Amino acid sequence: MSIVEKIKDIEKEIARTQINKATMSHLCQLRARLAKLRTTLLEPPKGASAAGDGFDVEKVGDARVALIGFPSVGKSTILNTFTTTKSEAAAYEFTTLTCIPGVINYKDCRIQLLDLPGIIEGASEGKGRGRQVIGVARSADLVLLVVDAGSGKADRQRELLEAELEAVGLRLNQKPANVYFKRKKTGGVSISSTCRLESINETAVAQILHEYRIHSAEVLFREDCTVEQFIDLVEGNRKYVKCLYVYHKIDMTSIEEVRRIAALPHSMVLSCQAKLNLDVFLDKMWEYLGL
């Protein structure tokens, strides 16, 4: 059985398992196994780099920003609009096949903007160029998730992109849980907390550590956290990155829809073709980078 098949089997078992005290231990074990399999799936083949041919772009400037989205949402158009680099843009899918860098000079800073190939559903399982795109995204200071506001599928695109990036350990607009965790060679497992735990308990913690074959460790909860957040802590390879959702091609939708989108958290509207909100795009990017 392949790793992808094992992942799908565990996902199905989690979905059909009722959540209660009796099943909590089993669910924790399943979620830990799922996290380990997803980490294994994204490891590059032996002798290959994490990024891959055409994706090893040197980081330059004061910050790096990655454009991520499905094919034909206008990522190349955004790069062409805001930088002097010319990335091929066309009405058909998969115009961009490698990572194309450009530089934005704004407020005395140089911001590297990366146009990445469109990812497809299943990128987190290694489909298409998902592994390479995600590898570059992990090196970015800011991720711009670009969706097509005029397609009628923008919300679905956003949902799918979030799920793909979440599955590979990219945590968008999140902070790691305030939990102290240290592996030890001896002494067993010590679990304590300075707050009330509602989303996780000691049994769940012990089960997760057992799944990772960690038999001696010190755990101190300074705040409540979920099972998934604790697994992230144990994995130790999660990337917490700021994310701005860019709803592109707003000239192709209604003003009511534009107003609805603009009110969503971490979101902005843009049309390069109609030159709408170009200055807002730069200001928002600057704000999220914290330069």
Side-chain angles (χ1 to χ4, degrees):
M1 183 181 290
S2 68
I3 295 177
V4 172
E5 290 173 333
K6 290 179 181 178
I7 287 174
K8 291 193 178 298
D9 282 349
I10 293 176
E11 288 176 336
K12 289 177 182 177
E13 187 171 352
I14 290 175
R16 65 171 175 258
T17 303
Q18 293 185 346
I19 301 176
N20 53 52
K21 290 183 179 179
T23 62
M24 183 59 70
S25 177
H26 179 58
L27 283 171
C28 288
Q29 186 178 43
L30 289 175
R31 287 168 179 162
R33 288 178 184 173
L34 186 61
K36 289 164 63 179
L37 285 170
R38 282 174 171 165
T39 298
T40 302
L41 185 66
L42 287 170
E43 291 176 353
K46 290 183 178 179
S49 67
D53 293 339
F55 288 81
D56 294 321
V57 177
E58 181 183 359
K59 189 172 183 178
V60 299
D62 301 290
R64 168 177 277 191
V65 178
L67 292 164
I68 296 180
F70 290 108
S72 299
V73 296
K75 299 183 299 297
S76 296
T77 303
I78 292 174
L79 183 78
N80 294 342
T81 300
F82 293 98
T83 75
T84 57
T85 302
K86 295 305 173 186
S87 178
E88 184 180 356
Y92 53 86
E93 296 185 347
F94 302 108
T95 311
T96 303
L97 299 176
T98 60
C99 177
I100 301 176
V103 174
I104 297 174
N105 293 299
Y106 188 65
K107 294 186 178 180
D108 296 324
C109 288
R110 298 178 71 225
I111 302 169
Q112 186 181 47
L113 186 64
L114 302 179
D115 178 19
L116 296 167
I119 65 174
I120 60 175
E121 192 173 354
S124 59
E125 300 170 358
K127 292 182 180 179
R129 302 209 167 196
R131 180 183 285 112
Q132 294 96 325
V133 171
I134 289 164
V136 175
R138 292 181 70 92
S139 70
D141 301 299
L142 172 66
V143 168
L144 300 181
L145 283 191
V146 185
V147 297
D148 186 347
S151 66
K153 303 176 182 178
D155 290 339
R156 179 58 177 161
Q157 288 180 1
R158 173 172 176 161
E159 180 183 323
L160 289 172
L161 288 170
E162 288 176 333
E164 292 293 337
L165 297 183
E166 179 80 15
V168 296
L170 273 169
R171 301 294 178 254
L172 307 178
N173 297 322
Q174 298 179 35
K175 293 182 179 180
N178 189 4
V179 179
Y180 175 78
F181 171 72
K182 183 179 181 180
R183 302 186 192 215
K184 299 189 299 183
K185 293 182 178 180
T186 59
V189 174
S190 170
I191 305 171
S192 57
S193 64
T194 60
C195 61
R196 182 178 178 180
L197 299 180
E198 297 181 352
S199 303
I200 197 169
N201 55 41
E202 291 191 12
T203 302
V205 172
Q207 184 63 51
I208 292 168
L209 294 179
H210 176 75
E211 181 63 31
Y212 280 90
R213 298 181 181 178
I214 298 173
H215 306 296
S216 293
E218 183 179 354
V219 183
L220 172 61
F221 289 89
R222 299 190 180 97
E223 67 177 9
D224 188 28
C225 79
T226 64
V227 168
E228 287 77 12
Q229 285 177 311
F230 185 71
I231 291 174
D232 285 350
L233 188 69
V234 175
E235 280 279 346
N237 59 359
R238 302 315 192 213
K239 170 70 174 180
Y240 295 85
V241 62
K242 290 184 178 181
C243 174
L244 180 61
Y245 299 89
V246 180
Y247 286 76
H248 195 211
K249 305 181 183 180
I250 57 168
D251 55 309
M252 304 296 290
T253 189
S254 66
I255 187 64
E256 291 79 15
E257 177 66 3
V258 171
R259 287 171 178 164
R260 182 192 71 84
I261 293 169
L264 296 174
H266 305 295
S267 303
M268 69 154 296
V269 293
L270 175 71
S271 173
C272 293
Q273 186 72 27
K275 293 182 170 52
L276 297 173
N277 267 11
L278 301 186
D279 54 341
V280 175
F281 174 85
L282 293 172
D283 286 340
K284 276 281 189 181
M285 186 171 58
W286 173 268
E287 176 190 339
Y288 272 69
L289 286 171
L291 296 173

